[in-house]
Amino acid sequence: MGYQQKLRGLVLSTGLLTTALMGTMAWAADYKQAPMLDAQVKDGKIPAVEQRLPEKPYVETMIDGVGKYGGTLRTTILANGDQYNLTRTIANELLVRWDPQWKKVVPSLAEEFKASDDATTYTFKLRKGLKWSDGQPFNADDIMFWYEDVFMNAALSPAKNPTFTVAGKPVKVTKIDDLTVEFKFESPYGLFIQQLAYGQGHLPVIYPKHYLQQFHEKYNKDGIPALLKANPAAGDWVALFNSKISLTFQPQFWQNLQLPTMNPWILTTAYADSDRVVATRNPYYWKVDTAGNQLPYIDGITWAKLDDPQLMALKMTSGEFDFAFRHINNATFKSVLFDGQKTGNYKFVDVKDLPANDAVILLNLNSTDPVKKKIFQNKDFRIGLSQAINRQEIIDLVWVGQGAPAQVALQPEHELFNEREATQYTKYDPKAAAAVLDTVLPKKDAEGFRLDETGKRFTINFMVADVFGLSYPDVMQMVQKYAKDVGIDIQLRTTDRARLNTMWSANEQDAYIWNCVGGLSEVYTDPRCYMPFQKADIFFAMKWSEWYSNHATGEEPPQAIKDLMAAYDKVNAAVTDDDRRQKMKDFLNLSADNFLNIGISRPMPKYMMTSTNLKNVVNGIPITGNLWHPAPTLTQWYFDKPTK
């Protein structure tokens, strides 16, 4: 038996080596590939597997053991505005990542990383030989392209992503050599590594320079006019560039099939092109299992595009899906899905849900309507509306008793659980609510609705999208009634996620309902519901969050909000765990004082459904808005028996 075989046997039998160390091991002579790639290698369309893998591939630990190649994973996705589902399923490749238990950050695309003692400087060494999905090299030049030509380009990034800023100052990224980059901040940033392990960590590694430079004025000024002529919907090179790759938290791979990625599967049918989305394995994927088999095991994935979560649940019970999670993973559908396990050939898998609240009323504190802006920013108005809501009745009638009345707050098991923040203004008390609202909007019309300072009925146009299977339209119909009882006119506007996304990105909404992250440890890195913080899908004070990222943009907030932001800056700057914990406690107390959003219910138990034929599935895997799921472990899923 050779040395490499003996070493591999030691790993399999004892599990002595950590994921980080295993990520540096390689057995080039033993590498194997999926049978579906054999013909492409034989025909010379792609190189042999050992030439496609990096010098030291990431070695993924297995849950049930080494798997089998083959099969197509059938799952589902909402037909409008649910491209995030694709990101969470197959796009979670970062410089560093959380381990499957969400206990520590380990190297990923980066083979090594280190931080300076003062938490200002972070150095990353990439794996040698990494390749994009089109076979072109991935190296430090791609990260520098993102930094110099996208992140620091005022036209493409007028507001800097907060993951890469501290106290309004952007990071400075330097290329050390072809495989090494340094991220340096002007002040301490003790949470940077943890931030990179979440979804926002995508940004430095989703911009393939060799492909995207053709759409960038700096590199192809003479060729841009012809490209614009071929893409008439783009008015200038900035719009053209943005159409090829998203500048938010996810790559545009879900729509631009030509965009090279580092993901395990690559799309062959785009999100908007048919009644289903299709992906096939990336032959240049850079991870292997403990036996040297190139991952992923599953050949491809299909997502059935459906308009209705009820139809998703029905198709799951009839055996049409191998996996489902989003939109049907709560009490609304649980009894039907539980009864359908035998006919659908699936089982329930526990999911540890981490949000701070399942349903949050988000008033637009930066409304473009000056009258509404003034009222929404009045804390007493938010208090009055909160006290008018019968949370327990909503929980009992809509969510069959699953949940508990709560504001946006840490879950009780967290060491920094803040009782005041969780429970303030949650008692159903219409009389108290009316008394508080009388101090804000004392005058009423003949129908009992409150009038604003101009003498007009004060009306909130509330946008409602039926997402996450949380029955938001039903919830808001009840909130509408409670609000009417205290003289507040709420008009519901049903929409889909795509339209809502367009509205909140343009700061056009009065209010909407969504869930909120930050229920457990991710509160440290993602405080988007505790303060104005520009991220993903929570926009209740967009102009303030823009100012927080870059004081030259957005709108300067009042002193109370600036104090809240300064408190979070101290959390970010803390170098030791003890200091960070105390600073977070101070921040949460200040957030409770400001009471920016109105929560309805603490998260209810969640679950997902997987085929009984699927193996290497983590039971109890955590999920939150930025901790994408099941992407970190999906590459090791396999079918125990062949599938069509």
Side-chain angles (χ1 to χ4, degrees):
M1 182 181 293
Y3 171 77
Q4 296 286 10
Q5 290 176 304
K6 290 180 180 179
L7 183 58
R8 186 167 68 233
L10 176 65
V11 173
L12 292 173
S13 63
T14 68
L16 290 176
L17 299 181
T18 66
T19 300
L21 179 56
M22 290 172 65
T24 70
M25 297 169 60
W27 311 290
D30 296 331
Y31 289 145
K32 303 177 185 69
Q33 66 184 13
M36 70 175 291
L37 299 177
D38 291 345
Q40 295 183 55
V41 173
K42 184 178 180 180
D43 295 341
K45 294 181 179 179
I46 58 175
V49 61
E50 61 268 16
Q51 297 171 24
R52 303 195 308 269
L53 287 166
E55 188 176 279
K56 297 177 181 179
Y58 186 104
V59 182
E60 188 74 80
T61 54
M62 301 291 108
I63 298 164
D64 298 325
V66 173
K68 304 174 184 178
Y69 282 123
T72 297
L73 184 75
R74 303 166 303 161
T75 184
T76 184
I77 190 170
L78 281 181
N80 292 297
D82 199 23
Q83 63 269 18
Y84 306 93
N85 195 347
L86 297 174
T87 304
R88 289 181 169 89
T89 307
I90 65 171
N92 196 53
E93 306 308 336
L94 314 168
L95 286 170
V96 296
R97 58 168 276 190
W98 290 97
D99 66 3
Q101 290 73 41
W102 201 40
K103 292 182 178 179
K104 63 179 179 179
V105 176
V106 298
S108 193
L109 283 166
E111 180 183 334
E112 302 172 1
F113 65 88
K114 62 180 179 180
S116 63
D117 291 340
D118 64 356
T120 62
T121 307
Y122 298 83
T123 306
F124 302 88
K125 180 183 177 183
L126 302 174
R127 299 179 188 276
K128 185 177 181 180
L130 288 167
K131 296 177 177 64
W132 293 97
S133 56
D134 61 358
Q136 294 298 307
F138 171 88
N139 54 40
D141 288 339
D142 295 298
I143 294 177
M144 295 309 299
F145 176 77
W146 159 75
Y147 174 68
E148 295 176 345
D149 301 315
V150 180
F151 182 75
M152 294 302 292
N153 185 290
L156 290 175
S157 303
K160 307 306 178 191
N161 187 288
T163 299
F164 302 95
T165 64
V166 174
K169 301 293 182 63
V171 65
K172 181 178 181 181
V173 182
T174 304
K175 175 182 175 181
I176 307 302
D177 57 41
D178 287 344
L179 296 177
T180 311
V181 290
E182 177 188 89
F183 287 65
K184 188 174 182 61
F185 298 90
E186 290 189 18
S187 55
Y189 190 177
L191 289 173
F192 183 56
I193 290 296
Q194 291 94 320
Q195 287 282 18
L196 276 186
Y198 290 107
Q200 296 291 325
H202 258 119
L203 294 181
V205 297
I206 63 172
Y207 290 87
K209 181 178 180 179
H210 70 278
Y211 170 75
L212 290 171
Q213 63 185 359
Q214 65 182 305
F215 308 111
H216 200 293
E217 186 180 51
K218 173 181 173 181
Y219 297 93
N220 192 24
K221 188 172 184 178
D222 293 338
I224 291 294
L227 289 172
L228 289 173
K229 186 175 181 180
N231 295 269
D236 55 25
W237 79 268
V238 173
L240 176 66
F241 190 93
N242 289 345
S243 72
K244 302 302 179 182
I245 185 165
S246 171
L247 297 178
T248 58
F249 79 105
Q250 61 173 340
Q252 194 88 348
F253 76 96
W254 54 273
Q255 194 59 33
N256 179 8
L257 300 184
Q258 285 71 49
L259 178 67
T261 80
M262 302 300 290
N263 299 330
W265 294 272
I266 52 179
L267 294 190
T268 57
T269 302
Y271 179 62
D273 289 350
S274 72
D275 59 357
R276 68 175 189 160
V277 186
V278 182
T280 189
R281 68 169 61 251
N282 172 7
Y284 294 93
Y285 192 58
W286 43 280
K287 294 181 183 178
V288 298
D289 67 15
T290 49
N293 298 300
Q294 185 187 30
L295 296 172
Y297 292 127
I298 292 173
D299 288 334
I301 305 177
T302 60
W303 292 261
K305 289 172 59 179
L306 301 173
D307 292 317
D308 186 357
Q310 293 186 24
L311 186 56
M312 289 180 173
L314 179 63
K315 287 181 175 291
M316 190 74 213
T317 61
S318 64
E320 296 182 46
F321 302 140
D322 302 301
F323 162 64
F325 172 67
R326 276 168 70 83
H327 310 301
I328 58 174
N329 63 323
N330 53 65
T332 305
F333 299 101
K334 191 168 186 178
S335 60
V336 172
L337 290 167
F338 185 84
D339 292 341
Q341 290 179 84
K342 186 174 181 179
T343 57
N345 191 36
Y346 60 85
K347 62 183 179 181
F348 275 63
V349 177
D350 290 336
V351 173
K352 176 57 180 174
D353 202 26
L354 308 179
N357 204 284
D358 262 349
V360 182
I361 291 174
L362 299 155
L363 302 174
N364 187 356
L365 307 186
N366 294 157
S367 172
T368 56
D369 182 321
V371 175
K372 290 182 177 180
K373 177 180 178 179
K374 180 180 178 181
I375 294 171
F376 290 159
Q377 287 188 14
N378 189 319
K379 178 182 173 181
D380 285 338
F381 177 79
R382 301 193 296 273
I383 290 173
L385 182 55
S386 180
Q387 291 176 321
I389 298 172
N390 189 336
R391 291 167 173 80
Q392 192 60 55
E393 187 173 54
I394 292 174
I395 292 167
D396 291 340
L397 296 182
V398 179
W399 297 319
V400 294
Q402 297 294 300
Q407 300 290 359
V408 175
L410 285 167
Q411 295 186 22
E413 58 263 43
H414 195 280
E415 63 181 350
L416 294 180
F417 172 66
N418 187 319
E419 180 74 27
R420 176 172 70 98
E421 186 166 46
T423 61
Q424 65 179 348
Y425 317 124
T426 57
K427 181 181 178 181
Y428 175 52
D429 192 339
K431 290 184 178 180
V436 174
L437 292 170
D438 283 344
T439 68
V440 183
L441 299 169
K443 296 181 179 180
K444 298 179 181 179
D445 62 17
E447 295 180 62
F449 287 108
R450 297 180 184 274
L451 305 177
D452 63 28
E453 62 187 35
T454 70
K456 296 180 180 179
R457 178 182 293 185
F458 180 70
T459 299
I460 305 174
N461 294 308
F462 216 105
M463 306 305 297
V464 185
D466 191 5
V467 293
F468 312 133
L470 288 170
S471 304
Y472 285 160
D474 295 334
V475 171
M476 282 310 304
Q477 285 181 9
M478 297 181 73
V479 171
Q480 182 184 43
K481 175 184 175 298
Y482 304 139
K484 181 180 179 181
D485 291 343
V486 293
I488 299 297
D489 181 28
I490 289 179
Q491 295 297 317
L492 303 182
R493 302 286 186 265
T494 303
T495 184
D496 59 34
R497 183 167 183 168
R499 172 58 181 156
L500 182 53
N501 183 66
T502 299
M503 291 192 68
W504 70 41
S505 296
N507 196 40
E508 294 176 345
Q509 85 285 2
D510 278 358
Y512 68 104
I513 185 171
W514 212 251
N515 64 359
C516 265
V517 303
L520 288 175
S521 296
E522 85 281 5
V523 69
Y524 283 95
T525 52
D526 194 351
R528 73 178 92 161
C529 290
Y530 296 87
M531 64 171 269
F533 193 71
Q534 189 176 352
K535 269 197 176 185
D537 47 20
I538 298 298
F539 299 102
F540 64 88
M542 174 179 284
K543 296 300 181 182
W544 291 348
S545 65
E546 289 177 355
W547 181 89
Y548 177 68
S549 297
N550 181 354
H551 291 358
T553 63
E555 177 183 307
E556 184 175 357
Q559 189 60 48
I561 301 301
K562 289 196 285 188
D563 291 344
L564 181 62
M565 293 171 171
Y568 182 69
D569 286 341
K570 293 179 181 178
V571 175
N572 239 342
V575 176
T576 68
D577 291 342
D578 288 343
D579 187 36
R580 186 178 302 116
R581 190 179 300 111
Q582 181 58 50
K583 296 296 193 297
M584 176 53 69
K585 183 178 181 180
D586 296 340
F587 168 76
L588 291 173
N589 276 318
L590 201 55
S591 178
D593 291 342
N594 281 277
F595 186 58
L596 298 173
N597 300 305
I598 302 170
I600 293 178
S601 176
R602 186 172 296 143
M604 63 185 74
K606 300 296 192 302
Y607 54 86
M608 66 181 185
M609 288 72 61
T610 64
S611 167
T612 56
N613 194 21
L614 276 172
K615 303 298 180 183
N616 276 344
V617 178
V618 177
N619 193 27
I621 192 170
I623 177 171
T624 184
N626 263 356
L627 188 69
W628 293 337
H629 161 87
T633 59
L634 187 60
T635 55
Q636 63 176 276
W637 287 16
Y638 70 92
F639 290 104
D640 193 37
K641 299 176 182 178
T643 65
K644 296 182 180 179

